[in-house]
Amino acid sequence: MGEHMKDFSIVRLKNVSLEMGERVLLNQLTFSLSSAEIVGLIGPPGAGKSLLLKVIAGLIPFTQGDVWVCGESLVGKNEAALVAHRQRLGMVFQNNALFDSLTVFDNVAFPLRVHGEVDDVEIRHCVEKRLTDVGLSHIGPLSIHELSGGMKKRVAIARATIHDPVLCLYDEPTAGLDPVTAAKIYALIKSFSMTHQATALIVSHELDTLFAVCDRVLMLHNGQLLFDGSPQHIGDAENRAVRQFARGSDIGPL
Amino acid sequence: MKLLRYLGRPIVAVARDTGGMALLFIFALRALWPPQIERDETLRVMCKFGYMSLPIVAATSVFVGGIMVLQAATYVTEFGAQSLVGWATGWATLREVGPVLIGLMFSGRVGANNTAELATMNITEQLDALRVLAIDPLIYLFVPRLIAMIAMLVCLTAIGDIIALGGGAVVAKLILDLDVRLFFKSLFELIHLQDLWLSLAKAFLFGATIATVSSYFGMRATGGTRGVGRAVNASVVANAVVLFVADYFMTALGVHV
C-alpha cells in the first residue's frame, strides 16, 4: 500500500514534525494527497494548519521526517533548489498577499513575467482568460485597494493558478466572505481542480461548504493528525474531539 | 546572573543584527556576478528614491551652504579673510556637511519608507508569496534597492553639493557683500578634486549602508502593525548610528588622501 501510494501521490508526508524550542508545532504527520484530489484541512485555531501548508510549500523547514512533492524530497534543499519545487505549486494566502504596488492584471501576470518563459501577447491572453474564469474580466487595470474582499480572493486564486500548478494550497480562501461569495469561491476551486487535474489542499473553518466540495478531510489538533477520512464519516469519528469539531458542539474535549 | 543576562541581551541583539546585515550585503554582492538584476523593479525604485527626493534635498542644500557662510562670517569679518570664504564653504560642504546631511535626509525619507514597505510586505505574507512564486525576495527586492540607493544618493549628493555652494555664494553676497566671482575663484583654486571624490565616496558608502540597514529591519519585521512601527524605529536609529560610524572611518581615510 505504501509503495502504491508513493507512486500516485502528488504530496507525501512521512513522520513530519516541526519543533520550535520546547514546543512541538507539528507532530509525526503522515499522509498523502493523490492527483486531482480535493482535501479539506480543518482544526481549531493554533492547530498547525497554516504551518503545514507552509511546510509543504517549502517556506518553513521541518525538523523531522520527510516531505515528497511529485516524488521529490524536500529534505536538505536550499532556496535555490526549492525553485523547481515551488514552480509546481500555487498558494492562496490567508490575507491574499497580493502585491499592492501592482494592478490586478500585473498581479496575475506576475508569475509568468518573472520567469520570462512566455511573450507579452501570450501573457495578455493567459491573464485575460484566467480573469474571465474567475469572473473578473473587466477589472484588470484596477489597483488592489479598489477591490472588495471577494474580488481580492478571486484575484489571489487567479494568480496562484495562472501557471497551471499540479498542487494548489488554499489558506482560508473564504475567510470573511458572505455565504454566496464563499460558495462561488469553492465552486471556482473545484472547477480549476477538475479542469487542470490539480490537487487542492484547503484550510477552512466553514465546514458545510468545505465538505460539499472535498473528497477527503484531515483534522489537526495541537499539531497531531486526529482524522483522515471522507467528510461523510467525520461526524461518526472515534475521536471525541473530531466529532465535537465536526458537529460544532460546545460540549467535549476542545 | 540576572545582571549579566540584562547586560548581555542588547550585546547579543547588536551582534545578531550586525551579522544579519553583513550576510545580507554579502548575498547582494554574490547576486551581482553573474548579474541577477530585476531591471523594471530597479528603475521603479530609482525613480521613487531619487527623483522624488530631489525637492527636499535641494531645499536642504541651499541652507547648508548658507549656514556654512554664516558660521564663517564672524571670523571672516574679524580677520579680513573674504578671499577664503569660497574655499572654506566648499571644503566643509564637500568633505563633511554635504554628504552627511544629505545622507541623513535620505535615510529619514527613503530608508524609513523602505523599511515600512518591506515590513508591511513581510507581515502581509507578500514576501512568502514571492517565494512561493519561485522568486527570491532578496534578488527581487533587496538587490534593486541596494543599487538604486547607492546610485541615487551619489547623484543627489553631487546635485546637493552644487546647490549648497550656490546657496553659500548667495548668502556670502547678502551677508558679507562678497563678490560671487571671488567666492568661486577661491573655491576653484583651493579645492582639490579629492575633496569632491571623498564627498561622492561617502555618498556611495552611505547609500549601501542605508539600503542594507533599512531592508534588513523591514524584512525581519514581525508582529502586525506594531511590528512595522518597531522596525521603522529600529531602522532609523541604526541607520543614523551606522552612518556616523561609516563617516568617521571615511573621514579618517580621507585625511590621508
Side-chain angles (χ1 to χ4, degrees):
Chain A
M1 177 66 186
E3 284 308 303
H4 174 80
M5 215 163 64
K6 184 180 170 183
D7 290 341
F8 294 96
S9 295
I10 291 295
V11 177
R12 193 162 76 103
L13 278 79
K14 191 177 176 189
N15 299 328
V16 170
S17 294
L18 173 57
E19 288 157 28
M20 213 166 272
E22 302 275 297
R23 294 169 63 207
V24 180
L25 304 173
L26 296 176
N27 193 356
Q28 297 286 316
L29 299 182
T30 299
F31 66 87
S32 61
L33 308 178
S34 308
S35 176
E37 195 176 22
I38 301 179
V39 179
L41 180 58
I42 61 172
K49 305 181 295 293
S50 300
L51 206 58
L52 178 57
L53 294 194
K54 289 187 177 179
V55 164
I56 294 172
L59 293 174
I60 298 178
F62 43 93
T63 45
Q64 264 181 50
D66 203 348
V67 176
W68 289 267
V69 176
C70 297
E72 273 190 42
S73 167
L74 301 190
V75 169
K77 289 203 167 174
N78 59 18
E79 282 291 310
L82 285 169
V83 166
H85 157 65
R86 289 178 183 145
Q87 280 177 333
R88 292 188 201 111
L89 62 91
M91 185 164 178
V92 174
F93 287 84
Q94 203 166 347
N95 44 24
N96 307 315
L98 294 169
F99 306 126
D100 38 24
S101 59
L102 304 178
T103 63
V104 169
F105 183 94
D106 290 335
N107 261 281
V108 180
F110 195 84
L112 300 177
R113 275 194 184 134
V114 290
H115 294 301
E117 289 151 6
V118 278
D119 60 38
D120 282 351
V121 178
E122 199 173 339
I123 288 175
R124 177 159 291 281
H125 173 73
C126 288
V127 173
E128 283 172 357
K129 184 178 179 307
R130 192 48 51 92
L131 283 174
T132 307
D133 290 345
V134 299
L136 297 172
S137 56
H138 57 290
I139 64 154
L142 295 187
S143 296
I144 296 303
H145 63 83
E146 293 177 88
L147 308 182
S148 68
M151 288 165 125
K152 282 181 186 169
K153 288 287 180 199
R154 286 162 183 243
V155 173
I157 291 172
R159 185 182 70 181
T161 58
I162 186 80
H163 56 301
D164 296 338
V166 292
L167 168 67
C168 224
L169 308 168
Y170 300 90
D171 194 356
E172 301 205 27
T174 55
L177 300 181
D178 64 89
V180 176
T181 312
K184 285 181 181 171
I185 297 276
Y186 279 119
L188 197 63
I189 292 171
K190 185 162 190 171
S191 149
F192 175 78
S193 270
M194 289 175 73
T195 317
H196 296 85
Q197 292 294 295
T199 305
L201 182 58
I202 312 167
V203 171
S204 182
H205 290 292
E206 287 148 11
L207 303 190
D208 292 341
T209 359
L210 179 70
F211 292 170
V213 294
C214 65
D215 307 311
R216 215 170 111 207
V217 180
L218 306 174
M219 180 170 159
L220 283 185
H221 180 43
N222 290 335
Q224 280 188 306
L225 189 62
L226 295 190
F227 180 82
D228 180 353
S230 79
Q232 287 79 23
H233 297 123
I234 192 168
D236 306 317
E238 284 178 20
N239 189 298
R240 282 180 65 211
V242 176
R243 285 202 305 273
Q244 184 197 354
F245 192 79
R247 291 171 184 168
S249 165
D250 61 347
I251 302 164
L254 292 178
Chain B
M1 195 64 189
K2 269 187 179 175
L3 180 70
L4 271 178
R5 199 175 298 159
Y6 180 77
L7 293 172
R9 198 171 291 153
I11 296 169
V12 171
V14 169
R16 182 199 60 208
D17 289 340
T18 309
M21 286 183 255
L23 285 174
L24 188 62
F25 187 71
I26 290 166
F27 171 85
L29 292 183
R30 283 177 55 193
L32 291 177
W33 193 262
Q36 293 174 274
I37 298 165
E38 292 290 335
R39 193 196 59 185
D40 291 350
E41 179 67 5
T42 307
L43 292 175
R44 187 185 76 82
V45 290
M46 267 184 166
C47 175
K48 185 179 162 194
F49 296 160
Y51 179 69
M52 308 294 267
S53 301
L54 202 51
I56 190 80
V57 167
T60 314
S61 299
V62 170
F63 289 98
V64 166
I67 291 164
M68 292 298 101
V69 173
L70 281 178
Q71 288 285 5
T74 320
Y75 301 101
V76 166
T77 314
E78 192 177 333
F79 297 108
Q82 275 85 350
S83 62
L84 294 176
V85 172
W87 165 76
T89 305
W91 193 84
T93 301
L94 292 179
R95 293 186 71 99
E96 197 59 55
V97 187
V100 169
L101 284 186
I102 293 168
L104 285 173
M105 289 298 299
F106 194 80
S107 157
R109 188 191 175 276
V110 174
N113 181 286
N114 183 47
T115 304
E117 186 180 359
L118 293 179
T120 307
M121 286 185 79
N122 193 20
I123 283 160
T124 56
E125 297 179 307
Q126 290 180 53
L127 299 188
D128 278 345
L130 281 173
R131 293 170 68 203
V132 166
L133 294 168
I135 299 155
D136 190 334
L138 297 181
I139 289 177
Y140 187 76
L141 295 171
F142 175 59
V143 173
R145 278 159 172 75
L146 180 69
I147 294 169
M149 285 199 204
I150 291 173
M152 290 300 99
L153 190 53
V154 169
C155 291
L156 286 171
T157 303
I159 295 167
D161 284 346
I162 294 166
I163 294 172
L165 295 175
V170 171
V171 174
K173 174 71 183 165
L174 294 175
I175 303 290
L176 301 172
D177 195 26
L178 182 73
D179 186 53
V180 173
R181 277 173 301 182
L182 185 61
F183 180 93
F184 282 110
K185 185 170 179 282
S186 79
L187 178 71
F188 291 129
E189 278 178 1
L190 297 170
I191 284 289
H192 300 106
L193 200 57
Q194 295 97 296
D195 299 321
L196 178 65
W197 288 130
L198 182 64
S199 179
L200 299 183
K202 281 185 175 183
F204 187 99
L205 183 65
F206 296 164
T209 60
I210 292 166
T212 307
V213 171
S214 64
S215 300
Y216 171 79
F217 282 104
M219 285 179 156
R220 64 185 298 277
T222 51
T225 46
R226 289 181 69 189
V228 176
R230 277 197 302 268
V232 172
N233 189 37
S235 162
V236 169
V237 173
N239 255 323
V241 173
V242 172
L243 192 138
F244 281 110
V245 171
D247 183 49
Y248 173 84
F249 287 107
M250 284 297 283
T251 305
L253 201 69
V255 167
H256 303 292
V257 175

